[in-house]
Amino acid sequence: MKIGKNTIPRSAICTSDEHTIVVRGEDLCKDLIGRISFTDYFHLLVTGRRPDAAATAVLDATLVAIAEHGFVPSVQAARMTLAAAPDAMQGAVAAGLLGCGSVILGASETAGRLFAEIKDCAEQGQTDLDAAALEVLKRYRAEGKAIPGYGHPLHKTRDPRVARLFEVAQECGADQTYVQIAEAVERQIPAVLGKALKLNVSAAIPAVLLGAGFPLQALRGVPLLARTAGLIAHLNEELQQAAGFALSYQATRELQYDGKVPAGFGKSDH
């Protein structure tokens, strides 16, 4: 059964023959291995072009910023999975990544889409960024949408990673338009929500990446790639210093059952 318009699968990423492997038009062995960093190679794979200096600096900084943040839920899921199946690191990594969604790591993509909406609104309405941010935020509020990339359970003032990422973007000469949009959103949030929410790293990442020309539709891949590195580190530690079963024990100990029980439950017969 034919679904969609295309009948022939096509890809511009990779091909090979008996002697040569071609990746994005370049010879893997002659042009890439030992001649390009992994950050630049990731950019080439995703976009089809080598990054300029600004794109390299910004992408590298975001990968470092988001790779590790302690025993977050995705790390706990990965470590408990490896504890149960120590021969399946791939399953444990997958368990950690499957927990990355709109609350954890996925907010970078949704924040990027918010910023793109505000940019379009400002351009179409020929208005300034603050006015455009206020208009879009009011629309989000009316539709019951959360404002992604703002507020943090620990960092009540701005997430400390925000300032450093913005500094890197400015120092390397990346376009500051999306940084300005991110800051306009922060200024307008109190007028919409009645309280201040400060920028966190999930808003800073798209602000600097979009300014460096990284594609909007691939934004979620950056924190996923970065967190994969962090998960592998945790899983290597898990094999040497197990915490997975201890995490499970702590959860069981703290759990408070509030459901029904049959008559006589918990009473000793002796």
Side-chain angles (χ1 to χ4, degrees):
M1 180 175 66
K2 181 177 177 292
I3 301 175
K5 296 180 180 179
N6 296 328
T7 57
I8 300 175
R10 299 180 184 277
S11 174
I13 296 176
C14 182
T15 190
S16 61
D17 63 16
E18 183 181 356
H19 304 290
T20 306
I21 300 170
V22 178
V23 179
R24 287 298 194 183
E26 302 198 44
D27 188 310
L28 176 65
C29 298
K30 292 180 179 179
D31 302 327
L32 299 174
I33 297 176
R35 301 180 185 278
I36 189 172
S37 72
F38 184 71
T39 297
D40 286 2
Y41 188 44
F42 172 58
H43 190 284
L44 174 66
L45 285 169
V46 172
T47 68
R49 64 182 187 279
R50 292 197 183 215
D52 59 20
T56 295
V58 166
L59 179 56
D60 208 31
T62 58
L63 289 168
V64 172
I66 201 67
E68 175 56 28
H69 202 42
F71 267 35
V72 292
S74 57
V75 167
Q76 294 185 43
R79 292 188 75 138
M80 285 191 283
T81 300
L82 191 69
D87 56 336
M89 182 178 282
Q90 73 281 5
V93 171
L97 293 180
L98 287 171
C100 300
S102 59
V103 176
I104 301 293
L105 298 184
S108 290
E109 178 190 17
T110 48
R113 296 189 182 280
L114 168 64
F115 299 159
E117 280 187 60
I118 292 170
K119 184 173 184 289
D120 289 344
C121 180
E123 290 173 349
Q124 293 171 9
Q126 296 184 329
T127 187
D128 62 39
L129 294 179
D130 277 86
L134 182 59
E135 180 179 335
V136 173
L137 289 178
K138 285 181 176 178
R139 186 190 314 148
Y140 269 51
R141 182 69 167 172
E143 295 172 356
K145 294 181 180 179
I147 300 173
Y150 294 82
H152 195 281
L154 176 62
H155 308 301
K156 298 304 181 183
T157 56
R158 271 191 184 180
D159 184 325
R161 294 167 291 184
V162 172
R164 184 59 192 140
L165 287 175
F166 284 1
E167 287 170 2
V168 170
Q170 188 168 37
E171 288 166 1
C172 70
D175 181 12
Q176 298 294 296
T177 300
Y178 291 96
V179 170
Q180 294 166 3
I181 292 171
E183 292 182 322
V185 170
E186 187 180 72
R187 286 192 296 270
Q188 297 305 319
I189 282 176
V192 177
L193 298 185
K195 61 181 178 179
L197 293 177
K198 299 299 183 181
L199 274 153
N200 65 42
V201 73
S202 293
I205 285 174
V208 297
L209 283 174
L210 292 172
F214 197 81
L216 174 63
Q217 64 271 21
L219 276 176
R220 186 174 296 202
V222 173
L224 288 176
L225 176 63
R227 190 52 58 87
T228 298
L231 287 172
I232 292 170
H234 275 279
L235 296 174
N236 182 59
E237 184 181 65
E238 179 68 24
L239 293 172
Q240 302 171 61
Q241 181 175 303
F245 285 135
L247 290 167
S248 176
Y249 166 74
Q250 293 291 337
T252 303
R253 189 182 68 172
E254 295 297 324
L255 178 67
Q256 295 184 3
Y257 179 76
D258 63 358
K260 294 180 179 180
V261 296
F265 178 82
K267 295 181 179 179
S268 174
D269 294 332
H270 304 287

